[in-house]
């Protein structure tokens, strides 16, 4: 195996004989003239995010912070859900009448599947692309939690919304450097493999709901 | 070229051929294309699909005021990466290992398959779940695992359709594009368990059947295999882009994850992701963002697989790298925009290229990876219209590469068809001689006017004789005018 490594590296170097010996990667110019900073108008960002998510078939709305429990209860009622799996840190901060929040403390995959619905926080959201990003932090929870269930309810504050992809990656720098697993979600699962017609609900939650909290 | 032990190094530049495989189907593009052209169902499916996606893509790309700046950054980052590929791969390896992953290097497909077979055996698994990966197609991994008695389940809908139909993919992004809904329905009914007898061909119903059928397997298989879209050298972050959720399942739920990547997929820093995660979704599926993108680094306690293996694959990439002009083809991010815009691909479909990499990018990448012996007809599978270059999100100058490879192929020919090559060379010399001398050129024009008389009818020449017949087999020539421009000018100038 180390033979393979040595040979591949040696072939690469031979193939790059035309590159001057003193050149370093940073010497190859990379122009970053694309947009790196978007606008910061919070109300506009939120409405763009909600619009884009709705286009993907997600349920997305603004919820006043003091009405959060009610909104969650309403969502669960609508879908006949009695239980929501959640990261332990989120369970500690929420109480919803009529809904049992099950802390994900070593739940098995089968258990998550049976519960069938999860509520998580969010790290950052991208308005331009309608994306919510989970970064494995304590409010987002582990990946299986928001993957195996059929209903995923995602909570975020309006200050977590940025306009552009580069801005989101700036905010995710810490998570990436800490090597936490990250999932970028833009709508429920879909496929266009049959005659290029987009059909939803393959694997992954078929119902995605996003609540943007205001006045927290 | 081969390594010091004389071992084949998967895909020489000129000459050596690794034999038949995913990059080297039998025959010649023209033969396969002829056959494909007469398949009207295929042509209908392709025309519909490629037109639809071209329109959508133009809208998605048109939304961004900084698309051209992103393209330039995308091109430049790949250039920076490729010019220092060894450094970046070493940094990637260090980062992945530090994050708890294991890195394996494979000189060719066979070595990669052996490595993966060993890992699967060590995990004691008889089944694996796979997220779609062209790289694993390239090395025929599923077949290699089957030899061990290991069943590899494709979990991506189109790949599953291809697998169940015992077919081969015909498009980079939408591999089953050559199948319509009726064909898919009958395929599922034939091959899957517990499919309702009254299943319609409505795509939503077809999707539901597949979901139910795959779910149990996705939730309980202990080994997952995936490809890689990007791998960040700085942090060891592996990035996988998808729509359905099956890749998330394959990379999160099993105990052991094996990801296979071509060595050209590495990018220097995490900041570079902000460019590619804008270029790829809009250029491929014409979306602002694809449904799911997963980023992970090594292993994470309590979240995902407890073992992560990254297989770095050469398989001819170092040969492509050594070609200073050809090297840019390694920038490809597999968006398939070039396929969808190519007039040739639209008419022949992917199977005519005989490679897992079809279309314009396939026409240049395949011969560079697999050698001209195996794929020498592919650089000719083009009208050089240049549409591919215009849409490429990382600005690969495909027309330039096609011409470059055609020149290489012509140089390569003496080995294969010495007489024809010698005759061609002589003819070219004669033409060059004539074109460099004005009087000879003008004499040639007068002679041509004479010579065409028996051939021209109604202003057109429909058939040229002898060795020139190939030119008029698929096109008509216009008759030469009675007076050349210079003759007309001279006549006009005279008082």
């Amino acid at each position: 195996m180390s033979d393979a490594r040595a040979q591949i590296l040696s072939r690469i170097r031979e193939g790059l004989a035309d590159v001057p010996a003193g050149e370093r990667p940073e010497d190859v110019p990379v122009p970053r003239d694309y947009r790196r900073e978007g606008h910061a108008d919070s109300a506009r960002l939120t409405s763009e995010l909600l619009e884009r998510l709705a286009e993907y078939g997600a349920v997305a709305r603004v919820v006043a912070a003091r009405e959060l429990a009610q909104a969650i209860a309403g969502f669960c009622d609508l879908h006949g859900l009695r239980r929501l799996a959640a990261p332990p840190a989120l369970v500690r901060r929420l109480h919803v009448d009529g809904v049992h929040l099950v802390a994900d403390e070593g739940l098995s995959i089968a258990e998550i599947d049976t519960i069938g619905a999860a509520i998580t926080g969010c790290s950052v959201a991208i308005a331009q692309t309608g994306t919510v990003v989970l970064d494995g932090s304590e409010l987002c929870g582990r990946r299986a939690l928001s993957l195996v269930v059929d209903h995923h309810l995602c909570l975020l504050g309006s200050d977590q919304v940025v306009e552009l992809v580069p801005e989101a990656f700036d905010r995710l720098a810490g998570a990436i450097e800490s090597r936490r697993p990250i999932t970028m979600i833009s709508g429920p699962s879909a496929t266009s493999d049959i005659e290029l017609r987009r059909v939803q609900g393959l694997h992954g939650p078929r119902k995605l709901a996003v609540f943007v909290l205001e006045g927290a | 070229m081969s390594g010091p032990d004389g071992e084949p190094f998967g895909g020489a530049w000129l000459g050596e051929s690794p034999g038949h495989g995913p990059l080297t189907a039998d025959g010649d593009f023209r033969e396969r294309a002829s056959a494909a052209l007469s398949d009207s169902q295929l042509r209908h499916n392709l025309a519909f699909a490629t037109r639809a996606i071209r329109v959508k893509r133009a809208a998605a790309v048109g939304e961004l005021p900084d698309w051209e700046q992103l393209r330039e950054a995308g091109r430049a980052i790949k250039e920076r990466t490729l010019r220092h590929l060894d450094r970046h791969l070493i940094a990637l390896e260090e980062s992945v290992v530090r994050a708890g992953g294991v890195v394996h290097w494979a000189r060719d497909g066979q070595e990669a398959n052996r490595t993966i077979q060993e890992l699967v055996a060590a995990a004691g698994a008889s089944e694996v779940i796979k997220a779609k990966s062209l790289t694993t197609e390239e090395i025929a991994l599923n077949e290699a695992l089957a030899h061990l008695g290991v069943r590899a389940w494709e979990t991506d809908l189109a790949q599953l359709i291809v697998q169940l139909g015992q077919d081969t993919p015909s498009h980079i992004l939408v591999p089953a594009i050559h199948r319509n809904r009726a064909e898919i329905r009958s395929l599922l009914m034939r091959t899957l368990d517990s499919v309702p007898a009254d299943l319609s061909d409505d795509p939503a119903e077809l999707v539901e059947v597949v979901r139910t059928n795959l779910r149990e397997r996705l939730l309980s298989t202990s080994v997952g295999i995936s490809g890689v879209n990007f791998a960040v050298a700085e942090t060891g972050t592996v990035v996988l882009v998808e729509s359905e959720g099956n890749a998330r399942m394959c990379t999160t739920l099993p105990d052991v994850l094996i990801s296979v990547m071509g060595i050209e997929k590495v990018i220097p820093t995490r900041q570079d992701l902000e460019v590619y995660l804008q270029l790829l979704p809009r250029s491929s599926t014409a979306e602002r963002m694809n449904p799911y993108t997963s980023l992970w680094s090594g292993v994470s306690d309590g979240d995902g697989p407890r073992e992560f293996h990254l297989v770095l694959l050469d398989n001819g990439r170092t040969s492509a790298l050594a070609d200073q002009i050809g090297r840019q083809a390694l920038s490809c991010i597999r968006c398939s925009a070039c396929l969808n815009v190519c007039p040739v691909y639209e008419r022949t479909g992917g199977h005519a290229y005989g490679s897992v990499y079809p279309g314009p990018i396939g026409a240049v990448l395949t011969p560079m990876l697999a050698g001209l012996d195996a794929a020498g007809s592919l650089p000719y599978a083009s009208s050089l219209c240049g549409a591919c270059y215009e849409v490429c999100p990382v600005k690969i100058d495909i027309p330039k590469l096609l011409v470059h490879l055609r020149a290489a192929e012509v140089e390569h020919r003496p080995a294969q068809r010495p007489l024809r090559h010698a005759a061609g060379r002589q003819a070219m010399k004669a033409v060059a001689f004539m074109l460099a001398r004005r009087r000879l050129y003008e004499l040639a024009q007068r002679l041509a006017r004479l010579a065409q008389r028996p051939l021209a009818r109604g202003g057109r020449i429909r058939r040229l004789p002898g060795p020139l017949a190939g030119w008029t087999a698929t096109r008509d020539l216009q008759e030469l005018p009675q007076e050349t421009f210079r003759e007309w000018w001279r006549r006009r100038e005279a008082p």
Side-chain angles (χ1 to χ4, degrees):
Chain A
M1 189 195 82
S2 57
D3 254 342
R5 181 184 189 275
Q7 282 190 30
I8 292 174
L9 287 172
S10 147
R11 275 182 64 114
I12 291 174
R13 287 165 187 145
E14 275 164 33
L16 292 173
D18 60 300
V19 176
E23 184 187 292
R24 297 157 312 147
E26 312 80 76
D27 296 329
V28 181
V30 171
R32 295 193 193 265
D33 302 327
Y34 50 90
R35 291 180 70 207
R36 297 208 71 251
E37 252 179 62
H39 71 79
D41 176 342
S42 178
R44 204 175 125 202
L45 286 172
T46 299
S47 87
E48 276 169 11
L49 175 70
L50 297 181
E51 208 181 285
R52 298 278 144 97
L53 281 169
E55 279 173 43
Y56 295 143
V59 167
R61 41 186 276 243
V62 171
V63 171
R66 56 191 152 71
E67 290 170 1
L68 177 60
Q70 227 174 310
I72 297 173
F75 173 81
C76 290
D77 214 37
L78 186 62
H79 294 103
L81 304 169
R82 289 255 152 279
R83 299 188 292 167
L84 287 176
L90 191 56
V91 176
R92 288 195 286 275
R93 294 164 53 157
L94 268 184
H95 175 82
V96 183
D97 279 333
V99 179
H100 178 202
L101 296 175
V102 181
D104 178 18
E105 274 154 349
L107 290 175
S108 71
I109 301 303
E111 282 169 326
I112 300 176
D113 193 23
T114 307
I115 297 172
I119 181 169
T120 70
C122 165
S123 167
V124 62
I126 310 172
Q128 186 195 58
T129 58
T131 304
V132 294
V133 186
L134 274 59
D135 69 353
S137 56
E138 59 168 21
L139 287 177
C140 294
R142 61 167 165 150
R143 291 174 287 177
L145 188 58
S146 48
L147 170 60
V148 172
V149 297
D150 214 12
H151 296 83
H152 175 204
L153 176 47
C154 185
L155 306 178
L156 63 145
S158 54
D159 60 337
Q160 288 176 274
V161 188
V162 296
E163 189 197 349
L164 304 174
V165 172
E167 293 176 301
F169 271 90
D170 284 342
R171 296 228 187 158
L172 288 168
I176 294 177
E177 268 149 35
S178 309
R179 314 299 192 258
R180 290 204 301 269
I182 290 168
T183 310
M184 299 172 66
I185 298 171
S186 310
S189 109
T191 177
S192 306
D193 280 335
I194 299 178
E195 295 181 353
L196 281 183
R197 265 167 237 277
R198 192 186 174 96
V199 174
Q200 298 203 316
L202 210 35
H203 312 287
R206 286 181 286 192
K207 292 268 178 321
L208 171 67
V210 176
F211 289 174
V212 178
L213 299 177
E214 268 178 0
Chain B
M1 277 173 78
S2 52
D5 307 324
E7 259 178 66
F9 230 128
W13 174 205
L14 289 173
E16 287 170 37
S17 161
H20 298 308
L23 294 174
T24 58
D26 273 318
D28 169 276
F29 176 80
R30 276 158 295 207
E31 287 160 24
R32 287 190 296 264
S34 270
L37 286 170
S38 53
D39 181 346
S40 48
Q41 178 67 67
L42 173 70
R43 289 185 67 164
H44 175 82
N45 292 354
L46 280 172
F48 171 77
T50 56
R51 192 169 308 136
I53 205 161
R54 279 200 299 273
V55 168
K56 279 187 72 183
R57 184 187 180 277
V61 159
E63 248 189 25
L64 286 187
D66 55 344
W67 179 253
E68 287 303 319
Q69 289 89 330
L70 283 166
R71 281 182 84 207
E72 179 52 27
R75 183 206 64 74
I77 294 168
K78 286 287 180 175
E79 184 180 23
R80 172 184 281 184
T81 306
L82 292 170
R83 285 175 76 85
H84 301 276
L85 189 61
D86 53 331
R87 265 195 247 235
H88 290 119
L89 288 174
I90 291 170
L92 175 66
E93 181 184 47
E94 274 168 24
S95 307
V96 171
V97 169
R98 220 178 311 128
V102 181
V103 175
H104 310 260
W105 299 68
R107 286 164 283 195
D108 59 18
Q110 283 141 314
E111 189 161 35
N113 287 336
R114 268 200 307 276
T115 304
I116 297 170
Q117 283 172 331
E118 282 163 21
L119 291 171
V120 172
S126 57
E127 292 193 332
V128 305
I129 43 176
K130 276 188 73 202
K132 172 180 135 176
S133 158
L134 278 174
T135 313
T136 62
E137 304 272 326
E138 182 191 324
I139 62 177
L141 173 63
N142 293 5
E143 287 80 343
L145 288 174
H147 273 302
L148 265 200
V150 174
R151 178 78 201 259
W153 290 98
E154 292 293 345
T155 59
D156 180 278
L157 176 61
Q159 285 298 117
L160 180 65
I161 290 169
V162 167
Q163 186 179 51
L164 293 176
Q166 294 179 316
D167 204 345
T168 51
S170 69
H171 188 287
I172 281 175
L173 194 66
V174 200
I177 204 174
H178 57 292
R179 298 251 188 215
N180 64 21
R181 61 173 77 183
E183 290 171 318
I184 293 170
R185 173 187 171 278
S186 64
L187 181 61
L188 294 179
M189 297 207 67
R190 258 192 302 129
T191 55
L192 291 182
D193 297 327
S194 27
V195 175
D198 59 349
L199 180 68
S200 77
D201 66 3
D202 174 47
E205 270 192 51
L206 298 175
V207 159
E208 179 61 35
V209 165
V210 173
R211 178 189 167 101
T212 317
N213 231 277
L214 283 182
R215 191 167 173 86
E216 176 55 41
R217 193 162 291 129
L218 283 169
L219 261 44
S220 60
T221 307
S222 63
V223 177
I225 299 181
S226 82
V228 167
N229 288 100
F230 310 101
V232 180
E234 183 189 33
T235 56
T237 310
V238 173
V239 183
L240 198 52
V241 163
E242 62 155 335
S243 298
E244 298 172 20
N246 59 306
R248 284 177 72 188
M249 293 205 167
C250 291
T251 55
T252 312
L253 303 182
D255 293 322
V256 176
L257 170 60
I258 303 165
S259 297
V260 185
M261 74 176 247
I263 52 178
E264 83 282 21
K265 301 285 183 69
V266 64
I267 58 176
T269 66
R270 57 166 176 77
Q271 192 193 18
D272 298 324
L273 287 176
E274 70 193 20
V275 174
Y276 295 108
L277 290 180
Q278 294 193 72
L279 290 173
L280 184 55
R282 292 188 193 250
S283 196
S284 63
T285 47
E287 301 174 294
R288 297 185 181 108
M289 187 63 76
N290 51 291
Y292 302 127
T293 300
S294 303
L295 299 86
W296 72 90
S297 203
V299 293
S300 294
D301 215 19
D303 185 347
R306 49 172 177 72
E307 251 182 73
F308 170 60
H309 298 269
L310 182 64
V311 179
L312 299 176
L313 177 73
D314 179 350
N315 205 35
R317 286 150 176 78
T318 46
S319 299
L321 190 66
D323 177 347
Q324 286 179 47
I325 298 179
R327 169 187 300 167
Q328 58 181 291
L330 294 176
S331 303
C332 178
I333 61 175
R334 308 285 190 269
C335 73
S336 80
C338 59
L339 274 67
N340 295 322
V341 84
C342 177
V344 174
Y345 178 88
E346 182 175 332
R347 285 159 179 78
T348 66
H351 290 150
Y353 293 78
S355 165
V356 299
Y357 302 118
I361 189 62
V364 301
L365 205 48
T366 309
M368 285 199 281
L369 295 180
L372 285 171
D373 271 344
S377 68
L378 289 185
Y380 296 93
S382 167
S383 62
L384 296 178
C385 74
C388 50
Y389 185 17
E390 280 178 24
V391 297
C392 180
V394 290
K395 291 183 163 176
I396 300 171
D397 190 348
I398 299 177
K400 181 174 181 176
L401 297 184
L402 288 164
V403 171
H404 172 69
L405 288 170
R406 289 181 188 190
E409 198 271 336
V410 168
E411 289 305 309
H412 181 60
R413 267 191 223 152
Q416 304 195 302
R417 286 181 293 203
L419 276 177
R420 189 160 150 181
H421 178 81
R425 279 219 105 97
Q426 286 308 112
M428 280 301 168
K429 276 197 188 138
V431 172
F433 187 85
M434 179 268 291
L435 287 173
R437 290 154 183 81
R438 191 175 97 177
R439 286 187 194 284
L440 264 186
Y441 175 69
E442 290 180 346
L443 174 63
Q445 285 178 312
R446 289 199 293 276
L447 287 175
R449 273 205 301 268
L450 274 175
Q452 77 174 345
R453 283 217 205 111
L455 301 171
R457 215 147 293 152
R460 292 182 168 280
I461 300 170
R462 288 195 168 72
R463 207 173 314 164
L464 286 173
L468 301 174
W471 188 261
T472 44
T474 50
R475 50 171 88 69
D476 289 342
L477 282 179
Q478 269 216 224
E479 194 183 289
L480 291 173
Q482 279 318 296
E483 203 174 30
T484 67
F485 175 79
R486 289 178 207 214
E487 287 165 350
W488 173 83
W489 188 258
R490 271 183 220 122
R491 190 165 53 80
R492 195 175 162 275
E493 284 281 275

